[in-house]
């Protein structure tokens, strides 16, 4: 990273009431502009991210070639393509990463409306979102910012805390099968029709069960590749539930924008 700015990244303990739904609560701050740092590629990770900038927002670069400066407060829903981000000045933000099974409890709108995009929190929470963003920006220090975000999440949970047991069970099964369970078998196991399960997933997860299974299989493949050693890509592909290496490569190019072998040497990627 071509910069003299000091960058501080920290993760915070998650409140016990939030732990079933929040994977992590974290912050990043630099003490000055971050010039020439380059883009970071973010891969689909099956999570939903809530971000509040209190310094200069980043710029997003989308897989379709579009680009935009991020809102001061925004949500990134379930991703089905890669996204690149780049600092545009002095960095500073607080972020919440939700598990797939928990994010819908904190939002008033179906999560399909925030999938695969960067959505301004004002479109979700209106005037309250503007108030939250301002209070986070003006807070005296990072503990005050993190404490405010935690209290806001607890307030949202107390208002919207109605769970969907069928979705929770289906997500457990998808993750246990590493994305290799067919939707028909999944629906039969949780006792609903395929159509009803798809509607539930689109509302509470943001993607249908087939699409979520695809992301889960991709994430498992990334883990397997990380410890594959000298195993061939063809063997890894078959073990992870792909038809063959050509199917494996196609899925990686679609989701990550590059082949598995290219990804292994890519300099700045997160998932």
């Amino acid at each position: 990273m071509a910069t003299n700015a000091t960058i501080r990244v920290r993760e915070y303990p998650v409140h016990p009431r939030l732990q079933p739904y929040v994977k992590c609560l974290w912050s990043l701050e630099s003490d000055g502009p971050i010039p020439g740092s380059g883009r970071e590629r973010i891969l689909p990770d099956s999570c939903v991210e809530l971000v509040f900038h209190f310094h200069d927002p980043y710029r997003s670069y989308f897989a379709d070639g579009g680009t935009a400066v991020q809102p001061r407060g925004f949500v990134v829903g379930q991703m089905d393509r890669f996204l690149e981000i780049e600092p545009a000045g002095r960095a500073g933000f607080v972020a919440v990463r939700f598990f797939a099974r928990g994010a819908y409890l904190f939002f008033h709108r179906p999560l399909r409306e925030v999938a695969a995009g960067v959505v301004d929190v004002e479109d979700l929470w209106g005037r309250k979102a503007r108030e939250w963003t301002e209070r986070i920006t003006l807070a005296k220090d990072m503990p005050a910012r993190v404490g405010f975000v935690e209290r806001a999440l607890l307030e949202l949970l107390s208002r919207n805390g109605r769970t969907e047991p069928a979705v929770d069970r289906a997500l457990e099964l998808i993750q246990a099968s590493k994305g290799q369970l067919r939707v028909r078998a999944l629906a039969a196991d949780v006792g609903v029709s395929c159509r009803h399960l798809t509607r539930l997933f689109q509302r509470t997860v943001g993607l249908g069960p087939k699409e979520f299974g695809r992301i889960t299989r991709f994430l498992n493949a990334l883990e397997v590749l990380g410890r594959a050693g000298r195993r061939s890509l063809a063997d890894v592909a078959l073990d992870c539930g792909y038809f063959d290496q050509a199917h494996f490569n196609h899925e990686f190019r679609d989701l990550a924008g590059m082949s598995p072998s290219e990804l292994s040497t890519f300099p700045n990627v997160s998932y």
Side-chain angles (χ1 to χ4, degrees):
M1 182 175 290
T3 176
N4 294 321
T6 299
I7 300 173
R8 297 177 294 279
V9 180
R10 183 178 175 187
E11 189 170 328
Y12 305 89
V14 177
H15 189 284
R17 284 182 57 203
L18 299 173
Q19 285 176 3
Y21 318 112
V22 173
K23 184 175 183 179
C24 69
L25 176 59
W26 64 290
S27 68
L28 181 149
E29 185 175 17
S30 67
D31 60 4
I34 311 177
S37 60
R39 301 182 192 179
E40 179 181 2
R41 181 164 295 197
I42 311 296
L43 305 186
D45 63 359
S46 80
C47 295
V48 173
E49 194 98 9
L50 170 64
V51 178
F52 290 99
H53 286 288
F54 54 86
H55 289 319
D56 298 318
Y58 280 41
R59 176 171 286 275
S60 295
Y61 298 86
F62 302 97
D64 64 3
T67 181
V69 175
Q70 296 174 350
R72 297 200 68 83
F74 66 93
V75 174
V76 179
Q78 288 288 343
M79 296 167 54
D80 59 4
R81 299 288 304 281
F82 68 89
L83 170 73
E84 292 186 334
I85 60 173
E86 184 176 30
R90 182 183 178 189
F93 61 80
V94 179
V96 182
R97 187 167 299 152
F98 296 96
F99 292 114
R101 65 176 294 176
Y104 68 93
L105 297 173
F106 299 85
F107 299 95
H108 299 301
R109 288 166 51 177
L111 285 191
R112 66 174 177 271
E113 297 180 13
V114 301
V118 174
V119 178
D120 195 316
V121 292
E122 290 192 23
D123 293 338
L124 301 174
W125 297 309
R127 185 172 60 185
K128 185 176 286 291
R130 291 194 294 274
E131 175 191 335
W132 289 351
T133 303
E134 183 176 355
R135 291 184 64 176
I136 290 167
T137 300
L138 298 176
K140 64 179 182 179
D141 55 23
M142 196 66 76
R145 294 184 180 102
V146 172
F148 178 81
V149 171
E150 183 178 85
R151 291 191 297 275
L153 292 176
L154 290 169
E155 177 186 342
L156 290 167
L157 181 62
S158 67
R159 293 182 179 180
N160 306 328
R162 178 174 171 271
T163 60
E164 289 285 359
V167 172
D168 291 347
R169 174 60 178 159
L171 287 169
E172 290 175 359
L173 292 170
I174 290 172
Q175 289 163 345
S177 71
K178 299 177 181 178
Q180 298 187 43
L181 188 62
R182 294 185 179 275
V183 175
R184 187 178 299 275
L186 187 65
D189 196 296
V190 300
V192 299
S193 69
C194 292
R195 180 176 297 180
H196 183 61
L197 184 64
T198 297
R199 286 198 297 265
L200 285 176
F201 260 68
Q202 288 173 341
R203 178 169 62 83
T204 62
V205 178
L207 300 173
K210 181 178 180 180
E211 292 76 18
F212 187 81
R214 181 189 183 210
I215 300 302
T216 303
R217 181 174 56 182
F218 168 71
L219 291 171
N220 178 58
L222 287 173
E223 290 188 15
V224 173
L225 281 172
R227 58 177 187 270
R230 296 183 178 180
R231 293 182 64 197
S232 71
L233 288 178
D235 285 344
V236 172
L238 292 175
D239 284 352
C240 293
Y242 295 93
F243 299 128
D244 51 30
Q245 189 175 342
H247 181 212
F248 190 51
N249 288 341
H250 177 270
E251 288 288 271
F252 267 71
R253 288 194 181 279
D254 196 35
L255 295 169
M258 63 188 78
S259 69
S261 56
E262 290 170 334
L263 185 61
S264 66
T265 60
F266 197 77
N268 200 5
V269 63
S270 299
Y271 56 90

